[in-house]
Amino acid sequence: MKAEPAVQRQLLELAKVDAELSRTAHRRRTLPELAEIDAGEKTARERRDALVSVETAASDLDREIARQEKEIESVRAREDRDRKLLAGGSVNAKQMTDIEHELQTLQRRQSALEDDLLELMEQREALGLDAQRTGAEVDKAEAEVAAAVARRDEAFKDLDTTRARRDEDRAKLLPRFPEPLLKLYERVREHKGIGAALLRARRCGACQLEMDRNTIAEIKAAPEDDVIQCENCGAVLVRTMESGL
């Protein structure tokens, strides 16, 4: 394949633009904020799950406390009724003995229920504090994610601006190349990452392979408009004054 030396040299401009596009794409894929967001979202989910668990336990305790309070009220009501019966003087001696015995039982029952209620209320208070702490952890995790997302979006904006500019530069360069040369360049770039590179001091600028004397002699003897490719990576070797030929 042949192409004017000046056209071949312009491949270096295209390769420079494509290299920056590749770096921009790589940067977009590997922004540290992306990993930070993933980790932060995982942490936030874990904190939210923990908060739901605490809130569920608190709700269960609230129902148990309400049930316990209702039972205490029932015992108190039964106790009030018995005391009124005793105070009314309308019961016989056996009934009085039975009522007094029941009152003692009710008092013991009420005392046990109140002790249980106190323990439940202490547990509920602890869960309330746990819910506050976990809620604060959720807020913190979500705020950290939001901050990372903002940094990511700002970085994306800058990278997209760079990509748009380089795409514009690339579009201006493409018409300068004959179709066969451009197809060769694109094919090599697709498979190897770099389509063209400067030959400098016997070394390929793409793969950094140092060439032996015979290869250099062949390149030196080749007409200037011959399109030379690196034997190792296939990149178009662009010859300039820096090539030392």
Side-chain angles (χ1 to χ4, degrees):
M1 182 184 299
K2 291 184 177 292
E4 289 296 324
V7 173
Q8 292 189 47
R9 286 193 291 272
Q10 290 182 68
L11 280 177
L12 295 178
E13 295 181 44
L14 181 59
K16 182 179 179 181
V17 169
D18 285 336
E20 187 168 359
L21 283 170
S22 295
R23 288 192 297 270
T24 300
H26 180 266
R27 172 68 173 159
R28 207 178 197 281
R29 293 193 303 270
T30 60
L31 278 174
E33 286 80 6
L34 297 177
E36 186 178 347
I37 290 169
D38 286 343
E41 288 178 340
K42 180 181 178 183
T43 298
R45 284 195 301 271
E46 291 172 349
R47 296 291 184 270
R48 285 192 291 268
D49 289 345
L51 181 59
V52 169
S53 179
V54 171
E55 290 175 341
T56 300
S59 179
D60 291 342
L61 269 180
D62 286 340
R63 286 194 294 271
E64 181 62 20
I65 288 171
R67 187 192 66 79
Q68 200 83 347
E69 288 175 337
K70 185 176 180 180
E71 188 167 353
I72 290 173
E73 287 301 318
S74 176
V75 170
R76 286 174 179 170
R78 181 69 177 270
E79 186 178 356
D80 289 344
R81 188 199 65 177
D82 286 353
R83 291 189 186 283
K84 287 179 181 178
L85 286 174
L86 289 177
S90 60
V91 295
N92 58 36
K94 183 177 183 309
Q95 288 175 324
M96 183 178 296
T97 300
D98 290 341
I99 290 173
E100 288 175 345
H101 177 72
E102 184 178 51
L103 281 171
Q104 293 174 1
T105 301
L106 290 172
Q107 288 171 356
R108 289 194 297 272
R109 175 61 176 162
Q110 181 176 334
S111 178
L113 289 171
E114 288 174 344
D115 288 342
D116 290 345
L117 178 61
L118 179 60
E119 182 178 349
L120 289 173
M121 293 179 73
E122 289 174 348
Q123 293 177 16
R124 180 62 180 84
E125 183 179 2
L127 280 175
L129 294 174
D130 195 12
Q132 290 179 6
R133 183 180 67 255
T134 306
E137 291 174 350
V138 169
D139 292 342
K140 180 182 177 182
E142 291 179 342
E144 289 175 348
V145 170
V149 167
R151 292 196 304 274
R152 179 205 64 188
D153 291 347
E154 187 63 27
F156 276 178
K157 182 179 178 181
D158 292 341
L159 291 170
D160 289 345
T161 298
T162 299
R163 183 181 61 186
R165 289 173 178 171
R166 297 296 82 80
D167 283 342
E168 184 177 341
D169 292 340
R170 195 175 200 277
K172 292 177 180 178
L173 285 169
L174 292 183
R176 302 180 185 180
F177 305 107
E179 185 175 349
L181 180 62
L182 187 58
K183 283 185 176 180
L184 172 63
Y185 170 87
E186 296 288 16
R187 184 170 65 251
V188 175
R189 186 174 71 93
E190 181 180 353
H191 289 91
K192 300 294 184 178
I194 300 177
L198 176 64
L199 173 61
R200 178 187 287 128
R202 300 173 55 182
R203 189 179 298 275
C204 171
C207 65
Q208 300 303 313
L209 175 71
E210 185 173 353
M211 301 173 190
D212 58 38
R213 291 183 178 179
N214 290 335
T215 301
I216 290 296
E218 290 176 2
I219 294 174
K220 186 175 181 179
E224 289 186 352
D225 60 352
D226 275 4
V227 175
I228 306 297
Q229 290 182 257
C230 174
E231 294 179 351
N232 182 57
C233 68
V236 175
L237 293 174
V238 179
R239 293 168 284 174
T240 69
M241 296 295 294
E242 298 180 57
S243 300
L245 298 176

